[in-house]
Amino acid sequence: MAAPVRAQEGLAGAYLAARQASMYSDYAEAARYFDAALARDPSNPFLLENALTAHVGLGELDRAVPIARRLESGGHSSQIANLVIIAEQMKRGAWDEVLADMEAGRSAAPLVDALIRAWARFGQGRMSEALEAFDAASAQSGLRTFGLYHKALALAAAGDFEGADLILSGEAEGPLRATRRGVIAHAQVLSQLERNSDALELVEMAFGSETDPGVTRLSTRLAADEPLPFDVVRDATEGAAEIFYTVAGALNGDAMDSYTLVYSRLAEYLAPANTDAVLLSANLLESQERYELAIAAYARLGAEDPAFYAAELGRAEAMRKAGDIDAAIGVLQALAAEFPDIAIVHVTLGDTFRSQERYEEARQAYDAAIALFDEPARGQWIVYYVRGITHERLDIWDRAEADFLQALELEPDQPQVLNYLGYSWVEMKTNLDQALDMIERAVAARPDDGYITDSLGWVLYRLGRYNEAVPHMERAAELMPVDPIVNDHLGDVYWAVGRRNEARFQWHRALSFDPEEDEANRIRRKLDVGLDKVLKEEGAPPLHPANDG
């Protein structure tokens, strides 16, 4: 009798460990423990479904397929199993199987079934039937754009570039939503039609001057009148991969990351060269805090890939989030050396240095980015803003102020900049009226931002308008109840209006939230002798006598 008990304990242990791993999207551990549980209970549909999800999350489709087949043979309905089986059939080019099984009732999802049928017909070489299927897909509610886009890809893959251009240009059925892949596909179609100048105009209109190396390379080839091959989708299998990538892109941000990842992993499986799918999978893993898997996914793109710089930026960010700051900086420094003309690389390096309070190195990185700006553009405000913060931390206030003002020149109502510059002026006891105007504008733009609301209360306090400061400081404390600075400020405002017991209560709260040591010492001194004596000891102006309660 003992052996079955031990076996049951082993099943329970593996099951519990697997569930725990799944809760944290730890696909590797979940797959290991669900596989162990399946070894003891091989037909359990719950274990099969979860093991399947874990292996798909890892991108291990070869291991996922047998599990999906076991679910199906056991008579269990599973959308993920259907998706995996259909993907495996399309990977093999078994288009007859795909259509026969769907006719018999297999369904992937309403959003994709019609497109799968269309690409399967294309794979069979039945172009007229494929086009009819794409039209049927486009007629479905919510599928018009998807259906037309995929029809255009199929026409281009078959060599009908005129037909593809009619759709992608919007001339045939109206405009389509512009995506990066869609623009590149259309540019390649135009190039095949010997219309490189039109393709170049399209690319410049879509991407402007802020291009990445891939788009820059595309533009260079078009400008040189080099004919571009159409390779976004070359056959039915890659067309099927585009279905899954398209759906993943549509789901991203609206559905659970783990569910979206299923579609991006299937796109990778069917089209390993689809670097956009690889980057999406890596980004989804990063969002789920599976940094080791994200790093591995980003690393799949080699230096020859046009998206390499984007992958390296992602890899560095995943390293930073994982706590390996030195490795992240090393990746970014190597990237800045390899791509010295891409501003975002220098900005990202600067941000990483700034997060580590390595301000001089951050300043140099931001300087390198700003030196690449040919002419002012609205989106550049953020770079001047972060360099301004860096200059402020380096005690180079004249340069910091100039950067903040330049940021506001580019983006006049940007609340972060308005608040930072306004608050800085308040702390320096200068330009108080202008600071008040700036912070009031920032609060109007972001009324639920605790830091900005705190700034408004604080500038009113600095101006001696204590009673007006109270509601704003109380609101800031509601928005950020455990912030030591906000609670300290509220205590000061309460003291200024004569609410001494409440002031001491707020200072005690501020101490409980681990302020910086110098701030903590100042708060303790206020608790010992009161705010008035602390201000006198510091040589600061006393509280306005008309408002001290």
Side-chain angles (χ1 to χ4, degrees):
M1 297 296 293
V5 172
R6 285 197 300 270
Q8 186 64 30
E9 288 174 349
L11 173 60
Y15 167 76
L16 291 173
R19 284 293 301 271
Q20 181 75 5
S22 292
M23 286 175 58
Y24 293 97
S25 301
D26 189 345
Y27 297 108
E29 288 297 285
R32 183 163 75 91
Y33 284 114
F34 276 122
D35 286 349
L38 281 173
R40 295 172 171 84
D41 190 0
S43 61
N44 185 308
F46 178 82
L47 297 178
L48 287 166
E49 177 87 14
N50 281 277
L52 175 64
T53 302
H55 283 294
V56 173
L58 288 170
E60 297 176 346
L61 271 296
D62 290 340
R63 298 187 67 177
V65 170
I67 299 173
R69 292 287 188 188
R70 283 162 63 186
L71 265 170
E72 182 181 59
S73 64
H76 305 294
S77 176
S78 166
Q79 183 195 33
I80 293 180
N82 286 341
L83 285 166
V84 168
I85 291 170
I86 290 171
E88 188 274 335
Q89 290 173 328
M90 293 189 294
K91 181 83 167 178
R92 291 189 285 111
W95 308 111
D96 295 345
E97 283 183 37
V98 172
L99 291 167
D101 288 348
M102 295 186 77
E103 187 67 25
R106 177 177 290 142
S107 173
L111 188 64
V112 299
D113 283 352
L115 293 175
I116 288 173
R117 289 190 179 94
W119 279 110
R121 292 298 187 194
F122 184 95
Q124 289 178 318
R126 300 178 179 179
M127 189 62 182
S128 60
E129 294 179 33
L131 295 178
E132 289 175 4
F134 283 119
D135 289 338
S138 301
Q140 292 187 24
S141 176
L143 271 184
R144 176 186 171 277
T145 298
F146 289 148
L148 288 172
Y149 172 64
H150 280 266
K151 181 180 180 181
L153 295 180
L155 288 169
D160 184 358
F161 298 110
E162 291 86 353
D165 173 50
L166 285 173
I167 295 173
L168 293 172
S169 66
E171 188 175 339
E173 301 282 350
L176 304 183
R177 185 173 66 89
T179 65
R180 186 181 189 279
R181 287 179 67 79
V183 170
I184 291 173
H186 194 190
Q188 291 179 350
V189 164
L190 291 171
S191 183
Q192 285 293 305
L193 292 171
E194 300 181 355
R195 293 170 56 189
N196 272 28
S197 59
D198 291 339
L200 185 60
E201 182 180 350
L202 170 70
V203 170
E204 290 175 347
M205 184 180 300
F207 300 110
S209 60
E210 300 296 324
T211 60
D212 57 53
V215 173
T216 299
R217 188 181 306 179
L218 181 75
S219 299
T220 300
R221 295 173 68 185
L222 289 170
D225 208 25
E226 179 183 342
L228 302 181
F230 182 79
D231 60 7
V232 172
V233 165
R234 294 170 294 186
D235 54 35
T237 301
E238 291 186 357
E242 195 72 16
I243 299 173
F244 294 123
Y245 175 73
T246 303
V247 172
L251 291 173
N252 191 22
D254 292 326
M256 291 180 61
D257 290 337
S258 57
Y259 182 68
T260 307
L261 182 63
V262 170
Y263 285 92
S264 65
R265 285 299 203 189
L266 291 173
E268 289 183 69
Y269 171 65
L270 289 170
N274 186 334
T275 56
D276 290 322
V278 175
L279 290 175
L280 179 54
S281 292
N283 183 260
L284 291 166
L285 290 164
E286 186 179 335
S287 297
Q288 296 173 82
E289 300 183 4
R290 302 322 315 168
Y291 301 125
E292 71 289 351
L293 294 176
I295 291 167
Y298 286 125
R300 284 179 50 194
L301 275 64
E304 73 288 347
D305 195 294
F308 173 72
Y309 100 99
E312 287 293 271
L313 286 175
R315 188 162 73 100
E317 179 64 8
M319 288 174 170
R320 186 190 68 79
K321 290 178 178 177
D324 196 350
I325 302 297
D326 290 340
I329 288 173
V331 169
L332 291 170
Q333 287 176 322
L335 198 60
E338 186 168 354
F339 296 98
D341 297 330
I342 299 181
I344 188 61
V345 175
H346 299 288
V347 173
T348 306
L349 178 59
D351 290 345
T352 306
F353 279 133
R354 184 167 55 88
S355 72
Q356 300 304 299
E357 300 183 0
R358 295 167 61 174
Y359 296 119
E360 178 55 33
E361 291 162 292
R363 182 192 63 77
Q364 293 175 22
Y366 293 138
D367 284 349
I370 289 172
L372 295 171
F373 296 159
D374 292 329
E375 41 186 67
R378 182 176 178 180
Q380 296 166 1
W381 73 266
I382 184 65
V383 188
Y384 287 101
Y385 171 58
V386 293
R387 190 176 71 169
I389 294 173
T390 303
H391 280 139
E392 184 257 336
R393 299 299 167 87
L394 289 168
D395 293 323
I396 312 174
W397 176 247
D398 58 336
R399 294 185 184 178
E401 188 176 50
D403 279 338
F404 293 139
L405 291 172
Q406 178 62 32
L408 289 174
E409 182 75 20
L410 297 168
E411 187 74 3
D413 295 315
Q414 215 298 316
Q416 289 174 270
V417 186
L418 289 169
N419 179 62
Y420 203 106
L421 179 55
Y423 187 86
S424 297
W425 278 342
V426 170
E427 288 297 284
M428 297 167 66
K429 303 179 181 65
T430 186
N431 300 329
L432 290 180
D433 290 333
Q434 190 175 354
L436 176 60
D437 175 69
M438 284 183 169
I439 295 171
E440 285 178 333
R441 287 160 57 196
V443 170
R446 293 190 182 173
D448 295 327
D449 188 305
Y451 286 116
I452 296 177
T453 304
D454 170 80
S455 296
L456 178 55
W458 198 238
V459 69
L460 290 168
Y461 166 84
R462 290 290 200 194
L463 289 168
R465 294 161 60 176
Y466 306 131
N467 287 314
E468 293 177 66
V470 170
H472 297 294
M473 290 307 311
E474 289 177 336
R475 172 63 175 158
E478 289 176 7
L479 293 168
M480 304 186 65
V482 297
D483 185 273
I485 294 175
V486 171
N487 283 277
D488 182 30
H489 284 175
L490 179 57
D492 287 6
V493 171
Y494 277 154
W495 184 276
V497 296
R499 295 162 63 173
R500 304 298 168 85
N501 289 335
E502 291 170 279
R504 291 188 175 92
F505 175 78
Q506 291 303 141
W507 290 332
H508 278 295
R509 276 179 57 82
L511 282 176
S512 72
F513 301 136
D514 297 322
E516 297 292 332
E517 187 58 32
D518 57 342
E519 292 297 326
N521 290 333
R522 187 174 188 271
I523 293 170
R524 293 187 189 99
R525 184 62 179 160
K526 286 188 289 188
L527 285 167
D528 288 340
V529 302
L531 177 58
D532 300 280
K533 288 188 177 180
V534 168
L535 293 174
K536 185 176 182 180
E537 290 169 356
E538 294 173 345
L543 296 173
H544 195 290
N547 293 295
D548 68 356

